[in-house]
């Protein structure tokens, strides 16, 4: 099915869930072989998504894992192109999922799509242009330079399972901080606790025009929804229901393209130390910015906070994101 404009939202909110749930579910012994077969059998592989060795940060020995999550801004299915060579399409969203060496939790850093950054060979541009200029390989290089840390795995998602996942979970409950009416579909979301169905969730995470700070609130809403899904999927209620876990993986795996190392074997390796990870152990933050501005060629952009980005890079390098998140989370 073609990916419609309605469904081109922040696609990577789902990918993080798949990685974590797969590891936790396997660790809990929930139909491990079945999950592995479904995940590996339905995901497609990206050929060599990493930059040349000379252009990469030095390796560290912290034992942490960093996974770059990309949502492609294609107008149709990613499968229509050789993904490792995909150009001309901007990434709809970009996140780095960090699993610390002690496997005590999960830390997800999202980069706003209009962040103005250096892109090797192309000067400065919005971060979401990296995919357009050089595919996943260039996107990895850009992010590695920002966090001065290696990306261990890469995944891109072409999303068409969003509504199915939400509805398979019986809806996702969140505490909405701001009442608003979505521009598309005119759905009204009241302030306070609400339960989102699949269709509602699409409108909720996509909206930006209803807010004074636009993309900033949209990013917060996407993280809020993602947290709700994590809480539901990593709850005892779900993890003791193999059918629900398998249904969730089954709905999402066909829309993922991953590097060859991001497989069920990788998840199984994480599983023993992540079996006790739950929704409250998954933390989210947005890469620090100083606000919006205008580029030299007149584009509306988001300016990264260089000083705090340096602190974030150090936290990645030293595997101390827990401390950084605690000090900077609003």
């Amino acid at each position: 099915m073609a990916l419609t404009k309605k469904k081109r939202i922040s696609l990577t909110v789902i990918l993080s869930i798949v990685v974590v749930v797969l590891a936790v579910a396997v660790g809990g012994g929930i139909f491990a072989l079945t999950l592995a077969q479904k995940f590996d059998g339905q995901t497609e592989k990206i050929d060599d998504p990493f930059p040349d060795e000379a252009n990469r940060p030095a390796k560290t020995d912290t034992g942490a894992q960093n996974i770059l999550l990309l949502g492609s801004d294609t107008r149709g299915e990613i499968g229509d192109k050789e993904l490792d060579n995909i150009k001309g399409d901007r990434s709809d969203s970009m996140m780095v999922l960090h699993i610390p060496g002690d496997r005590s939790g999960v830390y997800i850093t999202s980069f706003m799509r209009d962040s103005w950054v250096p892109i090797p060979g192309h000067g400065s541009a919005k971060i979401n242009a990296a995919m357009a200029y050089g595919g996943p390989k260039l996107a990895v290089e850009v992010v590695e330079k920002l966090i001065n840390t290696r990306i261990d795995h890469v995944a891109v998602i072409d999303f068409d399972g969003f509504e199915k996942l939400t509805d398979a979970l019986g809806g996702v409950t969140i505490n909405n901080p701001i009442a608003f009416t979505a521009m598309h579909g005119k759905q009204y979301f009241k302030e306070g606790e609400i339960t989102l169905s699949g269709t509602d969730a699409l409108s909720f995470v996509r909206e930006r025009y209803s807010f004074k700070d636009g993309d900033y609130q949209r990013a917060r809403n996407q993280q809020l929804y993602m947290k709700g899904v994590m809480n539901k999927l990593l709850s005892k209620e779900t993890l003791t229901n193999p059918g629900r876990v398998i249904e969730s993986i089954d709905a999402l795996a066909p829309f993922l393209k991953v590097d060859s190392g991001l497989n069920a074997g990788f998840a199984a390796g994480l599983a023993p130390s992540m079996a006790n990870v739950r929704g409250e152990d998954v933390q989210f933050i947005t890469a620090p910015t100083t606000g919006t501005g205008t580029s030299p060629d007149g584009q509306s952009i988001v300016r990264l906070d260089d000083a705090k980005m340096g602190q974030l890079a150090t936290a990645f390098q030293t595997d101390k994101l827990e401390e950084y998140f605690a000090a900077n989370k609003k």
Side-chain angles (χ1 to χ4, degrees):
M1 181 184 296
L3 186 65
T4 65
K5 184 176 181 180
K6 178 180 179 182
K7 294 180 180 178
R8 285 189 292 103
I9 57 171
S10 184
L11 306 177
T12 54
V13 298
I14 300 303
L15 187 49
S16 301
I17 296 165
V18 171
V19 173
V20 176
V21 170
L22 188 65
V24 173
V26 170
I30 301 178
F31 287 12
L33 181 59
T34 301
L35 285 174
Q37 290 174 338
K38 285 184 174 294
F39 186 78
D40 288 346
Q42 296 184 77
T43 54
E44 295 187 42
K45 301 298 181 281
I46 309 171
D47 293 331
D48 188 23
F50 299 105
D52 294 337
E53 189 64 26
N55 297 326
R56 308 194 71 190
K59 294 181 179 180
T60 62
D61 59 359
T62 63
Q65 289 286 313
N66 296 301
I67 305 172
L68 180 61
L69 313 172
L70 298 166
S72 176
D73 195 23
T74 52
R75 296 321 193 251
E77 293 184 2
I78 288 177
D80 293 341
K81 299 186 178 184
E82 289 294 329
L83 188 53
D84 57 310
N85 216 12
I86 192 171
K87 295 181 180 180
D89 298 310
R90 296 183 175 235
S91 54
D92 176 72
S93 56
M94 186 176 292
M95 298 181 185
V96 179
L97 185 153
H98 177 85
I99 303 173
D102 64 7
R103 309 298 189 245
S104 57
V106 177
Y107 300 90
I108 300 171
T109 303
S110 60
F111 290 86
M112 296 186 68
R113 59 180 294 167
D114 290 343
S115 299
W116 193 249
V117 300
I119 298 182
H122 300 276
S124 292
K126 294 180 180 181
I127 196 170
N128 70 338
M131 278 275 282
Y133 291 147
K137 186 172 293 191
L138 185 57
V140 169
E141 185 173 356
V142 168
V143 173
E144 286 189 336
K145 290 184 183 302
L146 287 174
I147 64 174
N148 200 20
T149 308
R150 287 192 178 223
I151 295 297
D152 299 293
H153 295 288
V154 182
V156 185
I157 182 168
D158 180 9
F159 179 71
D160 199 29
F162 193 91
E163 294 180 50
K164 292 179 181 178
L165 173 65
T166 306
D167 290 334
L169 290 171
V172 173
T173 300
I174 62 169
N175 189 8
N176 182 29
I178 301 174
F180 67 94
T181 299
M183 186 183 77
H184 297 282
K186 305 302 180 182
Q187 175 71 26
Y188 175 72
F189 298 95
K190 69 177 184 179
E191 181 180 348
E193 186 174 288
I194 57 176
T195 298
L196 302 172
S197 67
T199 302
D200 294 340
L202 283 169
S203 296
F204 183 82
V205 301
R206 183 172 175 239
E207 183 60 30
R208 63 174 174 167
Y209 296 107
S210 298
F211 312 118
K212 291 181 180 180
D213 55 356
D215 278 334
Y216 282 91
Q217 185 59 45
R218 177 166 67 170
R220 289 190 287 269
N221 282 352
Q222 289 170 353
Q223 293 174 358
L224 186 64
Y225 167 78
M226 189 172 174
K227 186 74 172 179
V229 174
M230 285 282 195
N231 285 334
K232 193 72 174 282
L233 273 172
L234 297 178
S235 67
K236 181 178 180 181
E237 174 189 5
T238 298
L239 290 176
T240 55
N241 184 342
R244 177 169 283 181
V245 175
I246 290 172
E247 182 181 356
S248 300
I249 297 296
D250 202 29
L252 297 172
F255 304 98
L256 301 180
K257 290 183 184 287
V258 298
D259 70 90
S260 59
L262 185 53
N263 52 30
F266 169 74
L270 295 176
S273 53
M274 293 189 68
N276 294 321
V277 171
R278 295 295 180 266
E280 61 268 21
D281 302 315
V282 182
Q283 302 295 320
F284 304 84
I285 205 167
T286 301
T289 72
T290 60
T292 58
T294 304
S295 68
D297 60 355
Q299 299 180 67
S300 177
I301 62 174
V302 172
R303 300 189 186 279
L304 292 176
D305 185 320
D306 291 337
K308 288 189 175 181
M309 279 300 302
Q311 296 170 11
L312 178 61
T314 299
F316 268 103
Q317 293 165 347
T318 58
D319 194 17
K320 294 184 178 179
L321 276 185
E322 180 179 5
E323 295 177 13
Y324 179 89
F325 273 48
N328 292 278
K329 194 175 175 94
K330 296 179 181 179

